[in-house]
Amino acid sequence: MDLPQLLLVGLVLLLGVVGVMVPGVPGTWLVWAGLLWWALHERSSLAWTVLVSATALLLVVQVVKWLLPPRRLRGVVGATRRMAVYAGAGALVGFVALPVVGAVPGFVGGIYLCERLRLGTRGEAWASTRAVMRAVGTSVLVELFACLLVTSAWVGAVAAGS
């Protein structure tokens, strides 16, 4: 696969990861579609293995999300798009700083930072962070973590020269 097309696939994957944080955007499906595009053009055993593994993981995540409480972020805790940006940025920074497992504390830390800036006190910020995580954070976090895992598998496969 040539470099411009590889960059476009990377952009679709990135948009999918960001789309997980935006209600109404099919982030998981964008990640899967980008991976499918790459595998169809790459046609190697590694590419197909990554695609099949990612498909299985993303399907399991859809079932897990369905079993978790519904996404009622705004109605339940009064969260804003700003909070979603902080949470997503925190998860991305955590994922880069401490690969894979760092996404979880980064996500929670991003929510806490947003609430600390908004509310001012540590106790109120933690209480609000817990409320957000109870309402929808787990659902979003599961989906975000899976998309980051799939994207990192794609980066690893590209780096391996599939």
Side-chain angles (χ1 to χ4, degrees), residues 8-21 25-27 30-31:
L8 286 174
V9 169
L11 181 63
V12 169
L13 292 173
L14 181 63
L15 287 174
V17 169
V18 171
V20 168
M21 304 301 296
V25 175
L30 282 172
V31 169

PDB file of all heavy atoms in Angstrom, residues 8-21 25-27 30-31:
ATOM      1  N   LEU A   8      -4.305   7.972   4.654  1.00  0.00           N
ATOM      2  CA  LEU A   8      -5.765   8.097   4.671  1.00  0.00           C
ATOM      3  C   LEU A   8      -6.406   7.047   5.580  1.00  0.00           C
ATOM      4  O   LEU A   8      -7.352   7.342   6.306  1.00  0.00           O
ATOM      5  CB  LEU A   8      -6.327   7.999   3.256  1.00  0.00           C
ATOM      6  CG  LEU A   8      -6.113   9.223   2.377  1.00  0.00           C
ATOM      7  CD1 LEU A   8      -6.594   8.945   0.954  1.00  0.00           C
ATOM      8  CD2 LEU A   8      -6.824  10.427   2.947  1.00  0.00           C
ATOM      9  N   VAL A   9      -5.880   5.839   5.552  1.00  0.00           N
ATOM     10  CA  VAL A   9      -6.382   4.797   6.455  1.00  0.00           C
ATOM     11  C   VAL A   9      -6.139   5.226   7.898  1.00  0.00           C
ATOM     12  O   VAL A   9      -7.026   5.113   8.753  1.00  0.00           O
ATOM     13  CB  VAL A   9      -5.713   3.435   6.165  1.00  0.00           C
ATOM     14  CG1 VAL A   9      -6.027   2.430   7.262  1.00  0.00           C
ATOM     15  CG2 VAL A   9      -6.150   2.898   4.821  1.00  0.00           C
ATOM     16  N   GLY A  10      -4.954   5.743   8.174  1.00  0.00           N
ATOM     17  CA  GLY A  10      -4.637   6.241   9.517  1.00  0.00           C
ATOM     18  C   GLY A  10      -5.576   7.360   9.940  1.00  0.00           C
ATOM     19  O   GLY A  10      -6.009   7.425  11.094  1.00  0.00           O
ATOM     20  N   LEU A  11      -5.927   8.231   9.013  1.00  0.00           N
ATOM     21  CA  LEU A  11      -6.855   9.328   9.306  1.00  0.00           C
ATOM     22  C   LEU A  11      -8.252   8.789   9.625  1.00  0.00           C
ATOM     23  O   LEU A  11      -8.907   9.257  10.562  1.00  0.00           O
ATOM     24  CB  LEU A  11      -6.918  10.299   8.124  1.00  0.00           C
ATOM     25  CG  LEU A  11      -7.828  11.515   8.295  1.00  0.00           C
ATOM     26  CD1 LEU A  11      -7.338  12.389   9.437  1.00  0.00           C
ATOM     27  CD2 LEU A  11      -7.884  12.307   7.008  1.00  0.00           C
ATOM     28  N   VAL A  12      -8.707   7.787   8.880  1.00  0.00           N
ATOM     29  CA  VAL A  12     -10.019   7.181   9.153  1.00  0.00           C
ATOM     30  C   VAL A  12     -10.010   6.523  10.538  1.00  0.00           C
ATOM     31  O   VAL A  12     -10.962   6.659  11.312  1.00  0.00           O
ATOM     32  CB  VAL A  12     -10.404   6.159   8.054  1.00  0.00           C
ATOM     33  CG1 VAL A  12     -11.623   5.347   8.459  1.00  0.00           C
ATOM     34  CG2 VAL A  12     -10.649   6.871   6.741  1.00  0.00           C
ATOM     35  N   LEU A  13      -8.931   5.827  10.869  1.00  0.00           N
ATOM     36  CA  LEU A  13      -8.822   5.210  12.196  1.00  0.00           C
ATOM     37  C   LEU A  13      -8.834   6.280  13.293  1.00  0.00           C
ATOM     38  O   LEU A  13      -9.514   6.120  14.319  1.00  0.00           O
ATOM     39  CB  LEU A  13      -7.559   4.362  12.296  1.00  0.00           C
ATOM     40  CG  LEU A  13      -7.530   3.099  11.447  1.00  0.00           C
ATOM     41  CD1 LEU A  13      -6.163   2.445  11.503  1.00  0.00           C
ATOM     42  CD2 LEU A  13      -8.597   2.130  11.866  1.00  0.00           C
ATOM     43  N   LEU A  14      -8.107   7.368  13.085  1.00  0.00           N
ATOM     44  CA  LEU A  14      -8.078   8.456  14.055  1.00  0.00           C
ATOM     45  C   LEU A  14      -9.456   9.099  14.213  1.00  0.00           C
ATOM     46  O   LEU A  14      -9.903   9.370  15.334  1.00  0.00           O
ATOM     47  CB  LEU A  14      -7.047   9.512  13.646  1.00  0.00           C
ATOM     48  CG  LEU A  14      -6.893  10.704  14.579  1.00  0.00           C
ATOM     49  CD1 LEU A  14      -6.387  10.246  15.949  1.00  0.00           C
ATOM     50  CD2 LEU A  14      -5.944  11.721  13.975  1.00  0.00           C
ATOM     51  N   LEU A  15     -10.146   9.316  13.108  1.00  0.00           N
ATOM     52  CA  LEU A  15     -11.498   9.863  13.177  1.00  0.00           C
ATOM     53  C   LEU A  15     -12.434   8.916  13.920  1.00  0.00           C
ATOM     54  O   LEU A  15     -13.323   9.357  14.651  1.00  0.00           O
ATOM     55  CB  LEU A  15     -12.034  10.142  11.775  1.00  0.00           C
ATOM     56  CG  LEU A  15     -11.441  11.336  11.049  1.00  0.00           C
ATOM     57  CD1 LEU A  15     -11.950  11.399   9.612  1.00  0.00           C
ATOM     58  CD2 LEU A  15     -11.741  12.629  11.777  1.00  0.00           C
ATOM     59  N   GLY A  16     -12.238   7.638  13.736  1.00  0.00           N
ATOM     60  CA  GLY A  16     -13.045   6.658  14.457  1.00  0.00           C
ATOM     61  C   GLY A  16     -12.795   6.706  15.950  1.00  0.00           C
ATOM     62  O   GLY A  16     -13.740   6.660  16.749  1.00  0.00           O
ATOM     63  N   VAL A  17     -11.534   6.797  16.342  1.00  0.00           N
ATOM     64  CA  VAL A  17     -11.196   6.873  17.770  1.00  0.00           C
ATOM     65  C   VAL A  17     -11.799   8.143  18.381  1.00  0.00           C
ATOM     66  O   VAL A  17     -12.389   8.108  19.458  1.00  0.00           O
ATOM     67  CB  VAL A  17      -9.667   6.815  17.982  1.00  0.00           C
ATOM     68  CG1 VAL A  17      -9.303   7.170  19.407  1.00  0.00           C
ATOM     69  CG2 VAL A  17      -9.139   5.434  17.629  1.00  0.00           C
ATOM     70  N   VAL A  18     -11.682   9.255  17.682  1.00  0.00           N
ATOM     71  CA  VAL A  18     -12.271  10.510  18.166  1.00  0.00           C
ATOM     72  C   VAL A  18     -13.799  10.401  18.149  1.00  0.00           C
ATOM     73  O   VAL A  18     -14.476  10.899  19.051  1.00  0.00           O
ATOM     74  CB  VAL A  18     -11.788  11.703  17.318  1.00  0.00           C
ATOM     75  CG1 VAL A  18     -12.550  12.970  17.645  1.00  0.00           C
ATOM     76  CG2 VAL A  18     -10.293  11.920  17.526  1.00  0.00           C
ATOM     77  N   GLY A  19     -14.344   9.727  17.151  1.00  0.00           N
ATOM     78  CA  GLY A  19     -15.787   9.579  17.025  1.00  0.00           C
ATOM     79  C   GLY A  19     -16.425   8.797  18.151  1.00  0.00           C
ATOM     80  O   GLY A  19     -17.622   8.955  18.413  1.00  0.00           O
ATOM     81  N   VAL A  20     -15.650   7.973  18.832  1.00  0.00           N
ATOM     82  CA  VAL A  20     -16.174   7.235  19.980  1.00  0.00           C
ATOM     83  C   VAL A  20     -16.662   8.220  21.048  1.00  0.00           C
ATOM     84  O   VAL A  20     -17.639   7.958  21.748  1.00  0.00           O
ATOM     85  CB  VAL A  20     -15.093   6.289  20.559  1.00  0.00           C
ATOM     86  CG1 VAL A  20     -15.487   5.740  21.905  1.00  0.00           C
ATOM     87  CG2 VAL A  20     -14.817   5.161  19.590  1.00  0.00           C
ATOM     88  N   MET A  21     -15.997   9.352  21.154  1.00  0.00           N
ATOM     89  CA  MET A  21     -16.331  10.336  22.183  1.00  0.00           C
ATOM     90  C   MET A  21     -17.502  11.240  21.804  1.00  0.00           C
ATOM     91  O   MET A  21     -18.009  11.964  22.641  1.00  0.00           O
ATOM     92  CB  MET A  21     -15.109  11.207  22.478  1.00  0.00           C
ATOM     93  CG  MET A  21     -13.876  10.445  22.890  1.00  0.00           C
ATOM     94  SD  MET A  21     -14.125   9.469  24.358  1.00  0.00           S
ATOM     95  CE  MET A  21     -14.447  10.732  25.536  1.00  0.00           C
ATOM     96  N   VAL A  25     -21.806   9.592  16.326  1.00  0.00           N
ATOM     97  CA  VAL A  25     -20.776   9.264  15.339  1.00  0.00           C
ATOM     98  C   VAL A  25     -20.407   7.791  15.525  1.00  0.00           C
ATOM     99  O   VAL A  25     -20.087   7.366  16.637  1.00  0.00           O
ATOM    100  CB  VAL A  25     -19.520  10.159  15.511  1.00  0.00           C
ATOM    101  CG1 VAL A  25     -18.419   9.729  14.559  1.00  0.00           C
ATOM    102  CG2 VAL A  25     -19.872  11.613  15.307  1.00  0.00           C
ATOM    103  N   PRO A  26     -20.443   7.006  14.471  1.00  0.00           N
ATOM    104  CA  PRO A  26     -20.137   5.575  14.600  1.00  0.00           C
ATOM    105  C   PRO A  26     -18.629   5.322  14.649  1.00  0.00           C
ATOM    106  O   PRO A  26     -18.032   4.807  13.699  1.00  0.00           O
ATOM    107  CB  PRO A  26     -20.769   4.980  13.335  1.00  0.00           C
ATOM    108  CG  PRO A  26     -20.680   6.084  12.334  1.00  0.00           C
ATOM    109  CD  PRO A  26     -20.864   7.366  13.120  1.00  0.00           C
ATOM    110  N   GLY A  27     -18.016   5.693  15.742  1.00  0.00           N
ATOM    111  CA  GLY A  27     -16.564   5.597  15.869  1.00  0.00           C
ATOM    112  C   GLY A  27     -16.014   4.200  15.681  1.00  0.00           C
ATOM    113  O   GLY A  27     -15.051   3.982  14.949  1.00  0.00           O
ATOM    114  N   LEU A  30     -16.159   3.216  12.079  1.00  0.00           N
ATOM    115  CA  LEU A  30     -15.133   3.899  11.277  1.00  0.00           C
ATOM    116  C   LEU A  30     -13.783   3.211  11.435  1.00  0.00           C
ATOM    117  O   LEU A  30     -13.046   3.033  10.457  1.00  0.00           O
ATOM    118  CB  LEU A  30     -15.023   5.370  11.678  1.00  0.00           C
ATOM    119  CG  LEU A  30     -16.099   6.299  11.150  1.00  0.00           C
ATOM    120  CD1 LEU A  30     -15.965   7.681  11.785  1.00  0.00           C
ATOM    121  CD2 LEU A  30     -16.008   6.410   9.643  1.00  0.00           C
ATOM    122  N   VAL A  31     -13.450   2.827  12.663  1.00  0.00           N
ATOM    123  CA  VAL A  31     -12.194   2.110  12.900  1.00  0.00           C
ATOM    124  C   VAL A  31     -12.191   0.798  12.125  1.00  0.00           C
ATOM    125  O   VAL A  31     -11.226   0.456  11.445  1.00  0.00           O
ATOM    126  CB  VAL A  31     -11.975   1.866  14.418  1.00  0.00           C
ATOM    127  CG1 VAL A  31     -10.838   0.896  14.659  1.00  0.00           C
ATOM    128  CG2 VAL A  31     -11.708   3.189  15.127  1.00  0.00           C
TER     129      VAL A  31
END
